[in-house]
Amino acid sequence: MDHFEIKGGAMHAEGVPLTDIADSVGTPVYVYSSATIERHARVFREALSGLDLGHGEPLIAFAVKSNPNAAVLATLAREGLGADVVSGGELLRALAAGVPADKIVFSGVGKTEEEMALALERGIGQFNLESEPEAETLSAVATRLGLSARVAFRINPDVDAGTHAKISTGKADNKFGIAYDGAVAAYARAAALPGLDVAGVAVHIGSQLTDLNPLAAAFARIGVLIAALRAEGHDIRTADLGGGLGVPYDPALPAPPSPADYGAMVQRATQGWDVRLIFEPGRLIVGNAGVLLSRVIRIKPGATHPFVIVDAAMNDLLRPSLYDAWHDIRAVTPTGERFVAHVVGPVCESGDTFATNRDIEAVTDGDLVAFMTAGAYAATMASTYNSRALTPEVMVSGSDWAIVRPRIALEALIAADRMPPWLSSGTNTIGG
Ligand SMILES: *Cc1c(COP(=O)(O)O)cnc(C)c1O
């Protein structure tokens, strides 16, 4: 459920008409609903409330990569969530937004020594290691700093998540995690390294999962592994079950499993594990909490159907061209009429297409459209391709709203380039 609804003829985010935001900030612009973000955080926590809490509340570590805006992170920090980070930049963002260091988990295959040192010095809760060489490097960095790193290995369970290939991470030939079959030997070697506290196991098989079976299969393998590791004398205290639960993008498709269904499956799968559970949801928390608001530039006649050319493009919302993703596209002030159209952006790429042969609410030049479910993996992937200004972000709370990232203006972008000395004399004026 989200808080984007038509009231009095115009779509609102909570109590604010999107027309007001477009008029004041311009378009394209991302708009987030803080009530929706909070609601999703609470629904997810409640879905886990049936779990065996022998080891305390589960840690819900929001996957920062899905939406790293400081206002989003601060909203979730106030709800008690931690953070799953995949870079030093995300770590600094999470800390700056008020996420306590001990609620931060550091994932990712390519952590550098600098990032490891930063995370150790800030005292993060856990490193999820993705290879044995990484364990050796972290051991060396921790030893040099006189610190201890609490670690888990991310296990690659070799299950097919049944999602888009670009967001599948749990097959043996994916770059993520250590091989399931070699895990016991890897733990033995890691436990012998100084500076590491080998405390847990971790798994994350992919994103936008619409079937719980691959997750259940992965968790079953993790349960077997925990028992095997304990039999070898390891003190396994945490199990990080990753993120990945899908959200509804297309209202015509069956809804993905609910958080409650997920929670019930987790409860069955983790029976008797006797660990503190960690979860890393991203999309589930923020996906439906954001829209990309865009204005129709013009309608261009097409061979079969018209092209609705909007002022948002693939640089603002990459998911359709990157993942063949489907976003619902709605008129902000619907008239009741519908038509079939292609919805495209102005960027000079055929991939800059949001929808083909789509039956949508009829719109015309100057009308506003909303790309729904644009709160996750959306603004964070925006670029300035085609020298387009970086998309701004707005957060709504009740009848209040605020710009939480201003549009980065073209002047600032152009001024960021530097002329090399051999081009900087003479008549050039670009970049001052
Ligand atoms: C991306 C990612 C997540 C979040 O995935 P969602 O599908 O957004 O829930 C969690 N954990 C890791 C390690 C990730 O890479």
Side-chain angles (χ1 to χ4, degrees), residues 317-342:
L317 178 62
L318 188 59
R319 298 188 67 260
S321 39
L322 187 61
Y323 306 130
D324 308 309
W326 198 101
H327 284 269
D328 199 10
I329 303 170
R330 286 164 55 187
V332 169
T333 51
T335 59
E337 308 274 299
R338 300 186 73 85
F339 68 175
V340 175
H342 313 301

Side-chain angles (χ1 to χ4, degrees), residues 63 65 84 107 154 204 206-208 243-245 280-283 377:
K65 76 177 191 288
D84 171 46
S107 302
R154 176 170 176 180
H204 172 74
S207 199
Q208 187 51 21
L245 191 55
E280 303 172 344
R283 191 190 310 269
Y377 307 103

Side-chain angles (χ1 to χ4, degrees), residues 164-179:
H164 192 280
K166 284 188 180 159
I167 47 177
S168 262
T169 59
K171 285 291 288 172
D173 57 358
N174 290 133
K175 71 177 176 180
F176 298 100
I178 63 167

Side-chain angles (χ1 to χ4, degrees), residues 111-128:
K111 302 175 198 77
T112 65
E113 291 188 31
E114 291 74 21
E115 288 173 321
M116 290 173 178
L118 173 70
L120 280 163
E121 281 161 353
R122 301 301 177 97
I124 68 159
Q126 179 169 303
F127 291 83
N128 286 353

